[in-house]
Amino acid sequence: MNMKLKAYFYYDIISPYAYLFLKSRKILEDKLQLIPVPIFFPGLLRLQDNRGPAEVSEKRIYTYQFCVWKAQKLNLSFQFPKRHPFASAPAQRLLLQNNADLAMLDKAFDFVWGQGHDPELEWEGFCVAIGLPKNTPKPQDENIKKALIESTQTAANHGVFGVPSIRIDQQIFWGVDSIDWILEYLTKPEMFSEKEYQEVHSIINPLIEK
């Protein structure tokens, strides 16, 4: 029996791209064991002194419209919540607390991005959507809070800089448009050792050169 290669799926429910990735994952599941890893995207951005696309006015509407276009191309139900970004920490803590598998993630992301609900302001509905009692409280356990912080830090240590990201061995693939790249990597795992890939490390960035 062939064991599937492990692939770690880093996500935050704040990301519509993670929803699109989940909906497109079937071709990867045939080859990989996808292991969900909840992280806190705003915390990741702070760790790396980075800004999210929603924080850059010129990028915000473009990326939102791209998600609308991509969902239409994939023939998916898609609806932005009335506010974005929303506070995703409570939902991420709840998913971590319940060791959310891909089936639970499908329900969670469908609630937010398939139906356009806000998981913070519609907490009871979110809990019911993922199969929990509607009176489930927002996690306040310090161990859960710490675990999400540690998961985010570990992701950063592995080179994750955005969501969704897939880690196979030590290689990071970012975004819904990386699926074809992942598939090619699986047939050609030596890819990143090739001269053309290695040469990019020597390119000088004049903005940060002293």
Side-chain angles (χ1 to χ4, degrees), residues 15 107 178 181 187 193:
S15 170
K107 295 174 183 177
S178 68
W181 197 5
T187 65
S193 298

Side-chain angles (χ1 to χ4, degrees), residues 119-151:
E120 184 194 19
L121 298 182
E122 301 174 69
W123 182 256
E124 290 186 357
F126 178 69
C127 292
V128 171
I130 64 174
L132 299 176
K134 70 176 183 179
N135 61 350
T136 300
K138 294 179 179 178
Q140 298 298 328
D141 186 286
E142 290 302 320
N143 290 327
I144 294 297
K145 293 180 179 181
K146 182 180 178 182
L148 187 61
I149 292 171
E150 290 176 347
S151 178

Side-chain angles (χ1 to χ4, degrees), residues 75-93:
N75 197 28
L76 297 176
S77 297
F78 183 78
Q79 178 66 50
F80 266 88
K82 292 189 181 300
R83 61 169 191 157
H84 188 266
F86 48 77
S88 66
Q92 289 298 98
R93 291 170 184 159

Side-chain angles (χ1 to χ4, degrees), residues 16-198:
Y17 290 98
Y19 169 74
L20 297 172
F21 189 98
L22 281 169
K23 292 296 188 182
S24 306
R25 73 179 189 270
K26 179 63 171 63
I27 195 170
L28 294 178
E29 282 188 301
D30 292 339
K31 301 174 183 296
L32 296 168
Q33 178 190 353
L34 293 177
I35 302 170
V37 182
I39 65 173
F40 184 50
F41 182 47
L44 182 70
L45 293 175
R46 287 194 293 269
L47 284 172
Q48 298 171 334
D49 193 25
N50 198 358
R51 298 171 69 190
E55 299 177 84
V56 182
S57 59
E58 295 84 359
K59 194 174 184 180
R60 177 183 174 93
I61 298 301
Y62 176 88
T63 55
Y64 288 178
Q65 290 177 336
F66 173 84
C67 289
V68 171
W69 174 82
K70 186 67 173 179
Q72 289 177 348
K73 286 295 181 183
L74 295 172
N75 197 28
L76 297 176
S77 297
F78 183 78
Q79 178 66 50
F80 266 88
K82 292 189 181 300
R83 61 169 191 157
H84 188 266
F86 48 77
S88 66
Q92 289 298 98
R93 291 170 184 159
L94 186 66
L95 293 167
L96 185 154
Q97 180 175 274
N98 286 274
N99 298 309
D101 58 12
L102 291 170
M104 181 177 279
L105 291 190
D106 281 334
K107 295 174 183 177
F109 276 85
D110 281 344
F111 179 80
V112 176
W113 295 106
Q115 303 169 37
H117 295 297
D118 187 317
E120 184 194 19
L121 298 182
E122 301 174 69
W123 182 256
E124 290 186 357
F126 178 69
C127 292
V128 171
I130 64 174
L132 299 176
K134 70 176 183 179
N135 61 350
T136 300
K138 294 179 179 178
Q140 298 298 328
D141 186 286
E142 290 302 320
N143 290 327
I144 294 297
K145 293 180 179 181
K146 182 180 178 182
L148 187 61
I149 292 171
E150 290 176 347
S151 178
T152 304
Q153 180 66 68
T154 299
N157 293 345
H158 279 298
V160 173
F161 57 86
V163 287
S165 285
I166 291 285
R167 177 169 65 87
I168 304 171
D169 299 322
Q170 296 306 311
Q171 189 61 49
I172 300 298
F173 296 89
W174 168 59
V176 66
D177 51 355
S178 68
I179 289 177
D180 286 343
W181 197 5
I182 293 171
L183 292 171
E184 186 169 342
Y185 173 74
L186 294 177
T187 65
K188 191 179 178 183
E190 74 282 3
M191 174 189 295
F192 291 97
S193 298
E194 294 177 355
K195 179 174 179 264
E196 293 83 358
Y197 287 90
Q198 287 298 308

